[in-house]
Amino acid sequence: MSDEIKHECGIALIRLRKPLQYYIDKYKTPFYAANRLYVLMQKQINRGQDGAGLANIKINTRPGTRYISRYRSVESEAVTKIFQKINKKYKKAKKAGNEADLMDASWIKENTAFSGEVWLGHLRYGTHGQNSIETCHPFLKQNNWRSRNLVMAGNFNMTNVEELFDNLVKLGQHPKEKTDTVTVMEKIGHFLDEENQRIFDKYKGQFSNREITEVIEQELDVARILRRSCRDFDGGYAMAGLIGNGAGFVVRDPSGIRPAYYYADDEIIVVASEKPPIKTAFNIDYKQIKEIQPGNALIFNKDGSYAEHEIIPPREKKSCSFERIYFSRGTDPDIYRERKNLGRALVPQILKAIDFDLKNTVFSYIPNTAETAYYGMIEGLEDYLSAKRREILIEGKPHLEDLEDLLNFRPRVEKLVSKDVKLRTFITNDSDRDVMVSNVYDTTYEVIRSGVDTIVVIDDSIVRGTTIEKSILTTLDKLKPKRIIIVSSAPQIRFPDCYGIDMSRMKDFIAFRAAVALLKERGMDSTLDRVYEKCTTDPDEQVNFVKEIYDPFTDQEISDKIAQIITSESIEAEVHVIYQTVQNLHLSCPAHTGDWYFTGDFPTEGGMRVVNKAFVNYMEGKVIRAY
């Protein structure tokens, strides 16, 4: 994507279902789980480049033995750095023992950190706030009773943090931070404590305290804990938690906004935010990988048994379509097919925009994730040409083209845009900075006929339009084309996201800026004031008043205004912008209908509040997040 945006985090969980010695004997290494988790995390680095973290729990250790280990890092190549530190632990243990000791599960667990049966990794994209080690998951809530320890990591944002925070205060707690991560962990931790106390009270007087501790670890009702904890959550989430006794869970929001997939057999349970990492790490068929259903939790117990439980009644599924357009790895076969479909769906609009003049049009893409949609677009153009040949050769329709040329013609495709090394701009003044930014992308010269050819270049999405304006258009205009047509495989982003993506301020969206500009041009400024009054008068009203900003205009009018905004005076070529339609988005990704950033149809009540607050912030000049 030309406009860099930060987005969802990634989770990776492994639970060994057999004793550690089983894996040592079968796979000839005590590091089976660590090696697989490394692959799971490396294959999800696209989900988090601000930091990473990892926690490990050993099951059934004797008192006095450390059984929870954790490393976190905000360094570059954080995943590699974390596993290098773990490897140092292993090497240190190896020096203390011998080869036979390293193949003895009891010795390994006694003498080596990160040798337990339960693993939780996390990759972080910091959507807001500081990027520090303290903000990296997993988070720990520690206690001297194993079954009261909680380790948590997740891919989520809550829209009602204030409400959740106030509820904790009413319970008598004194949370150290007012963040969704800490608030969520403390909420679940509170009901984990209550579940422990419930079982303790049940058996008090029947067993000794030490015996009750063992009973608690066996009888913990994790589903009950989650049902009591999650009922007040408003947001998009896939949250993973480990309990000190070896139990754990991954729970998903009732609209299925954030993704979570799992695979389980008699040896292992594995969960990740995407399918390809699971496929790669365990060499299994895609059909063996299951999706945790919206509102459900995959729960595993101390004994290794597992099941999927309904925690919150599911709502209409609104899984994030941006996952399909851009965020998730394109190696997933379903996502690969969907991205090609998105490119193919744009062909009718493109043909109309170029006046069906394929001979004088060159097609390209913005590297790198738009490449798959580009292939779909080219396939769609070839299908169009095949249909034209069929009309002429089989149906005998009249034509002006030479038959030989018609049979041999193919769409003109070139790699026109290459992303160059990111240039440092710290020594430039304001007047020089735009020149430096314009050179972030490079181009291929001598393939465009000056003043004759039209360039069509496809991107995943156009969010802010800044890179298109300051870099890509400037780069392409050097080729002296007649026209430049920028194509977005996603619809116009009109509304903020409040479930994980770093898109929270109205002024950042070029579609919003275009709508505001049109209102002002046509003397409709009062619309802004009217919407502002509604947002401030009825802040809790479950209506997206901001939709009224866009209502007076067609999609094409907004696209045309966007083209004007991104075209500087120095650009000589005629510039047009084409966006995907919402209808074609749904046809291309039928199982993933979350489209609130395009349509304003937020799947939760908190989302409606956030979009109205974001507009209030814009009108009041506040450059802050709306949740």
Side-chain angles (χ1 to χ4, degrees):
M1 186 181 295
S2 56
D3 289 319
E4 181 184 2
I5 60 173
K6 296 183 177 182
H7 52 91
E8 295 91 344
C9 303
I11 54 176
L13 182 150
I14 289 178
R15 169 63 153 94
L16 300 181
R17 300 188 67 201
K18 294 182 180 293
L20 182 60
Q21 191 64 49
Y22 170 89
Y23 304 90
I24 294 175
D25 295 340
K26 180 174 180 178
Y27 298 103
K28 310 305 179 186
T29 174
F31 313 127
Y32 170 78
N35 291 337
R36 297 300 183 278
L37 190 76
Y38 177 69
V39 174
L40 282 177
M41 294 182 70
Q42 281 286 0
K43 293 299 182 180
Q44 292 187 95
I45 286 180
N46 57 296
R47 305 190 69 85
Q49 293 156 27
D50 288 341
L54 185 157
N56 176 249
I57 292 179
K58 302 175 185 177
I59 300 175
N60 291 328
T61 57
R62 63 179 178 81
T65 302
R66 182 179 293 275
Y67 59 95
I68 300 179
S69 303
R70 177 182 64 162
Y71 277 150
R72 297 180 293 176
S73 174
V74 291
E75 299 179 69
S76 61
E77 300 183 358
V79 172
T80 299
K81 298 288 175 58
I82 287 171
F83 278 89
Q84 285 174 343
K85 290 178 70 176
I86 293 173
N87 193 44
K88 287 181 181 179
K89 292 280 188 182
Y90 294 158
K91 288 181 177 178
K92 184 178 180 181
K94 186 176 181 179
K95 289 180 180 179
N98 53 53
E99 291 296 331
D101 290 333
L102 285 176
M103 302 303 284
D104 183 335
S106 298
W107 189 92
I108 284 285
K109 289 180 68 172
E110 186 75 19
N111 292 276
T112 310
F114 296 97
S115 58
E117 297 86 347
V118 195
W119 297 76
L120 177 58
H122 185 264
L123 299 107
R124 180 177 186 268
Y125 255 124
T127 54
H128 293 279
Q130 295 182 344
N131 184 38
S132 65
I133 197 73
E134 288 79 14
T135 59
C136 270
H137 302 200
F139 280 60
L140 301 183
K141 187 175 188 295
Q142 296 179 290
N143 195 285
N144 229 22
W145 278 261
R146 276 194 310 211
S147 56
R148 290 176 183 252
N149 282 277
L150 180 63
V151 181
M152 283 206 64
N155 170 16
F156 63 91
N157 267 354
M158 297 298 171
T159 68
N160 62 334
V161 175
E162 293 281 349
E163 176 189 339
L164 296 174
F165 182 87
D166 291 342
N167 288 344
L168 290 176
V169 173
K170 290 175 183 176
L171 290 170
Q173 293 193 21
H174 191 89
K176 62 180 181 180
E177 292 181 55
K178 191 184 288 188
T179 62
D180 50 7
T181 306
V182 171
T183 305
V184 164
M185 184 178 68
E186 294 297 341
K187 184 81 179 289
I188 295 175
H190 169 77
F191 288 110
L192 174 62
D193 287 341
E194 285 203 349
E195 177 68 6
N196 272 265
Q197 191 64 47
R198 180 183 70 83
I199 301 172
F200 180 87
D201 293 341
K202 178 181 176 181
Y203 292 103
K204 186 177 182 181
Q206 300 180 46
F207 302 104
S208 68
N209 284 359
R210 185 166 184 172
E211 290 171 331
I212 293 176
T213 295
E214 296 297 324
V215 172
I216 290 172
E217 293 193 4
Q218 298 296 332
E219 290 195 11
L220 272 180
D221 188 342
V222 178
R224 184 174 187 269
I225 295 168
L226 293 175
R227 289 187 185 105
R228 302 180 73 196
S229 305
C230 298
R231 60 192 175 194
D232 297 329
F233 293 167
D234 187 297
Y237 54 86
M239 296 184 293
L242 308 181
I243 299 171
N245 68 330
F249 61 87
V250 178
V251 61
R252 198 172 176 208
D253 68 83
S255 299
I257 296 171
R258 300 272 70 87
Y261 301 93
Y262 75 97
Y263 165 75
D265 58 25
D266 61 345
E267 290 186 1
I268 198 164
I269 302 167
V270 55
V271 183
S273 295
E274 300 183 21
K275 290 182 182 180
I278 300 176
K279 160 73 174 174
T280 303
F282 295 92
N283 192 29
I284 57 174
D285 293 335
Y286 272 102
K287 64 183 179 182
Q288 295 176 273
I289 303 172
K290 300 179 181 179
E291 181 179 7
I292 298 175
Q293 293 304 302
N296 282 15
L298 179 71
I299 296 172
F300 54 87
N301 302 308
K302 181 181 179 180
D303 62 6
S305 60
Y306 73 95
E308 194 170 338
H309 300 261
E310 182 178 300
I311 302 302
I312 303 175
R315 301 179 179 179
E316 180 184 0
K317 188 179 180 184
K318 289 290 184 179
S319 50
C320 176
S321 57
F322 245 126
E323 286 279 355
R324 323 303 289 184
I325 297 167
Y326 170 66
F327 295 146
S328 294
R329 293 173 68 90
T331 52
D332 182 304
D334 293 331
I335 292 175
Y336 182 78
R337 181 169 54 253
E338 290 164 5
R339 289 181 183 174
K340 289 184 74 174
N341 288 341
L342 287 167
R344 186 187 297 271
L346 287 158
V347 168
Q349 291 174 261
I350 293 170
L351 288 170
K352 183 178 179 181
I354 65 172
D355 301 318
F356 296 86
D357 182 10
L358 288 172
K359 288 185 177 180
N360 298 311
T361 302
V362 176
F363 298 89
S364 193
Y365 63 93
I366 308 295
N368 287 319
T369 50
E371 186 174 4
T372 306
Y374 168 75
Y375 291 144
M377 177 182 70
I378 297 303
E379 287 182 5
L381 291 169
E382 290 174 343
D383 289 346
Y384 164 77
L385 287 171
S386 294
K388 295 295 291 183
R389 295 186 187 105
R390 189 181 305 111
E391 288 178 359
I392 294 168
L393 297 176
I394 298 177
E395 300 176 18
K397 290 190 175 181
H399 63 94
L400 299 176
E401 301 89 344
D402 179 80
L403 190 58
E404 187 70 21
D405 290 343
L406 180 68
L407 290 172
N408 293 328
F409 183 78
R410 295 288 183 273
R412 295 172 61 193
V413 297
E414 303 287 353
K415 185 170 184 180
L416 295 179
V417 182
S418 301
K419 196 162 188 178
D420 212 340
V421 177
K422 194 169 187 179
L423 298 175
R424 299 292 297 274
T425 59
F426 61 94
I427 60 172
T428 65
N429 56 33
D430 289 343
S431 61
D432 291 334
R433 185 166 287 111
D434 284 352
V435 176
M436 296 291 286
V437 170
S438 71
N439 287 287
V440 169
Y441 287 91
D442 205 351
T443 188
T444 305
Y445 292 95
E446 305 300 329
V447 294
I448 299 298
R449 294 174 296 179
S450 176
V452 175
D453 287 337
T454 293
I455 293 174
V456 174
V457 60
I458 189 169
D459 197 0
D460 297 291
S461 184
I462 306 169
V463 186
R464 304 177 184 93
T466 307
T467 306
I468 294 287
E469 176 186 0
K470 296 186 179 299
S471 184
I472 292 171
L473 277 179
T474 301
T475 300
L476 293 176
D477 196 56
K478 294 176 184 177
L479 302 177
K480 304 296 182 181
K482 178 182 178 181
R483 286 182 297 187
I484 302 172
I485 300 175
I486 304 295
V487 182
S488 169
S489 67
Q492 297 169 2
I493 297 175
R494 299 181 170 193
F495 304 95
D497 181 79
C498 53
Y499 305 123
I501 307 173
D502 184 18
M503 301 191 303
S504 60
R505 295 182 293 265
M506 296 299 303
K507 74 177 188 64
D508 290 341
F509 307 133
I510 193 164
F512 177 75
R513 287 158 47 202
V516 170
L518 287 171
L519 287 173
K520 292 180 178 179
E521 284 178 7
R522 300 182 186 184
M524 302 168 67
D525 304 51
S526 59
T527 302
L528 297 172
D529 296 325
R530 185 176 69 252
V531 172
Y532 175 74
E533 182 179 359
K534 289 182 178 180
C535 290
T536 52
T537 303
D538 301 306
D540 294 324
E541 183 72 30
Q542 295 307 303
V543 176
N544 181 354
F545 297 118
V546 185
K547 285 185 177 184
E548 296 180 27
I549 301 296
Y550 300 96
D551 286 345
F553 314 113
T554 65
D555 293 352
Q556 189 60 54
E557 286 177 307
I558 293 176
S559 293
D560 291 344
K561 177 53 67 174
I562 289 172
Q564 291 180 23
I565 292 173
I566 65 175
T567 306
S568 64
E569 292 182 359
S570 63
I571 301 297
E572 296 182 6
E574 183 182 328
V575 176
H576 298 274
V577 175
I578 294 174
Y579 279 92
Q580 186 73 262
T581 67
V582 173
Q583 180 183 12
N584 281 338
L585 169 69
H586 291 164
L587 289 173
S588 300
C589 310
H592 304 272
T593 59
D595 61 4
W596 52 91
Y597 16 67
F598 308 129
T599 64
D601 297 330
F602 289 82
T604 75
E605 295 179 357
M608 295 295 189
R609 289 195 297 269
V610 166
V611 66
N612 292 332
K613 186 176 179 181
F615 181 75
V616 170
N617 289 342
Y618 165 78
M619 292 293 286
E620 295 178 353
K622 297 178 180 177
V623 188
I624 58 175
R625 67 187 293 189
Y627 59 96

